[in-house]
Amino acid sequence: MGNNDLGEFLRARRAGLTPEAAGLPVEFGTGRRVTGLRRSEVAQLAGVSTEYYTRLEQGRARQPSEQVLYALGEALRFDDIERRHLFALAVSTTGHRDRPEPTARLRPALRQVLDSMDLAPAFVNDRNLTVLGGNTLWALLFPDVAAMPRRERSMARWTLLDPGARQVWRDWERVARDYVHGLRLAAAAQPRNQHIANLIGELMMRSPEFPAWWSEHRVQERSTGLKRLRHPVAGDLELQYEIFTAVADPGQSLVVYSAPAGSPSQERLRLLASWGSEPAAARDTAAES
């Protein structure tokens, strides 16, 4: 997280909102050099002075009130996720310190749940977006991630840095952008989380696309959706994913992939599970054929 993420977020969202979309009269959109709103227009819509709003964007005004934040959210037409992100960024400017987090562990009961899912690849993330563990079918679906050292085992890191991920995700850019947007939310919610800060720094240096996507300040929280993959053994897969919060383990989430009963993707998952149960030599022969 940078020193002025709040200001950069406001500036990015302002630049992406037209006067018409903000509810300003049509004449506000004439004779403009840019499509976005001016600072004075955001200030007018939010009911604050242009000077104060300018100081907010420049990082010279700290700790804006809840009333101001709500007004800015309305002026910039934020959705619920963007509004929560705005408040999280405002809190991060106050010098608040996160509590030290104990080392995350995968409880045996949760491991048992993972292992009971025979046809559903599943894994558990911690608050650092690190994969604590996955079941056998998940490891067969994402062997490169499963083989990573634990501290580096991140779906976001693999997707953005491993060239092989571009072959696995059939719509790689959409998936990669989703991970960047989710990382934005995680970083704002945990502004003093050094592990997430290190991950962002690594992606900044090593991913060609990450700096530009990060600078867009897009935020998104997905708890369900569709992932399209290509596996060397199972072939093309379309899997629905659901993300569940582990109530007994704060900060941990269970991610489950599934396919409709009787669908080609379910049959291919069944094939992958059967292939994974074969001896290693037989698996290698099948993969090469």
Side-chain angles (χ1 to χ4, degrees):
M1 297 289 286
N3 294 328
N4 188 28
D5 286 299
L6 174 62
E8 291 175 5
F9 179 56
L10 290 171
R11 184 161 51 250
R13 300 274 54 80
R14 172 171 64 84
L17 187 65
T18 64
E20 292 80 7
L24 291 172
V26 176
E27 57 266 22
F28 275 79
T30 60
R32 307 174 71 91
R33 296 182 179 178
V34 294
T35 58
L37 295 181
R38 300 185 178 101
R39 286 172 174 169
S40 59
E41 292 165 348
V42 177
Q44 174 188 330
L45 290 168
V48 299
S49 71
T50 302
E51 179 188 2
Y52 177 72
Y53 179 76
T54 300
R55 288 165 53 211
L56 271 178
E57 277 202 3
Q58 294 175 345
R60 296 186 294 114
R62 301 288 179 173
Q63 302 181 29
S65 68
E66 288 190 4
Q67 290 85 350
V68 167
L69 293 174
Y70 275 117
L72 289 172
E74 290 296 318
L76 293 168
R77 299 296 192 264
F78 284 173
D79 59 24
D80 289 342
I81 301 301
E82 289 171 325
R83 187 174 290 106
R84 283 168 44 199
H85 185 64
L86 176 67
F87 272 77
L89 290 176
V91 169
S92 73
T93 67
T94 65
H96 168 74
R97 293 285 175 176
D98 294 340
R99 294 179 180 178
E101 291 297 333
T103 301
R105 298 183 181 278
L106 187 60
R107 284 187 301 113
L110 197 50
R111 162 56 68 186
Q112 182 176 318
V113 170
L114 286 173
D115 292 341
S116 69
M117 298 180 182
D118 294 333
L119 283 180
F123 67 98
V124 174
N125 262 337
D126 67 8
R127 66 177 68 250
N128 298 327
L129 307 183
T130 300
V131 177
L132 296 180
N135 61 10
T136 299
L137 195 51
W138 173 81
L140 291 170
L141 197 59
F142 300 102
D144 292 341
V145 186
M148 287 179 170
R150 175 173 167 175
R151 285 186 59 82
E152 300 176 7
R153 197 187 305 145
S154 161
M155 293 294 290
R157 175 186 280 108
W158 172 73
T159 296
L160 285 153
L161 296 183
D162 192 324
R166 297 172 187 254
Q167 306 304 316
V168 173
W169 298 122
R170 290 156 60 191
D171 43 2
W172 175 84
E173 181 171 335
R174 179 185 65 80
V175 174
R177 281 180 175 270
D178 282 350
Y179 279 122
V180 175
H181 301 163
L183 187 55
R184 264 281 176 202
L185 280 177
Q190 306 173 73
R192 306 304 189 272
N193 185 315
Q194 191 59 47
H195 188 97
I196 288 181
N198 291 343
L199 175 57
I200 293 168
E202 180 183 7
L203 294 175
M204 280 287 189
M205 291 186 293
R206 298 181 55 198
S207 168
E209 297 85 0
F210 184 82
W213 292 347
W214 184 257
S215 68
E216 293 173 353
H217 285 263
R218 298 284 181 182
V219 290
Q220 197 168 41
E221 184 176 54
R222 291 191 182 275
S223 57
T224 184
L226 183 71
K227 292 288 179 70
R228 301 169 66 247
L229 305 90
R230 178 168 290 117
H231 190 274
V233 173
D236 287 354
L237 297 161
E238 292 191 0
L239 303 178
Q240 185 77 20
Y241 69 88
E242 300 283 340
I243 302 177
F244 305 92
T245 300
V247 177
D249 303 287
Q252 294 185 22
S253 56
L254 172 65
V255 183
V256 182
Y257 295 95
S258 65
S263 67
S265 289
Q266 188 190 54
E267 292 306 309
R268 289 165 185 165
L269 282 179
R270 198 184 305 275
L271 168 67
L272 183 59
S274 175
W275 176 78
S277 65
E278 295 177 357
R283 291 203 306 268
D284 294 342
T285 300
E288 292 170 359
S289 62

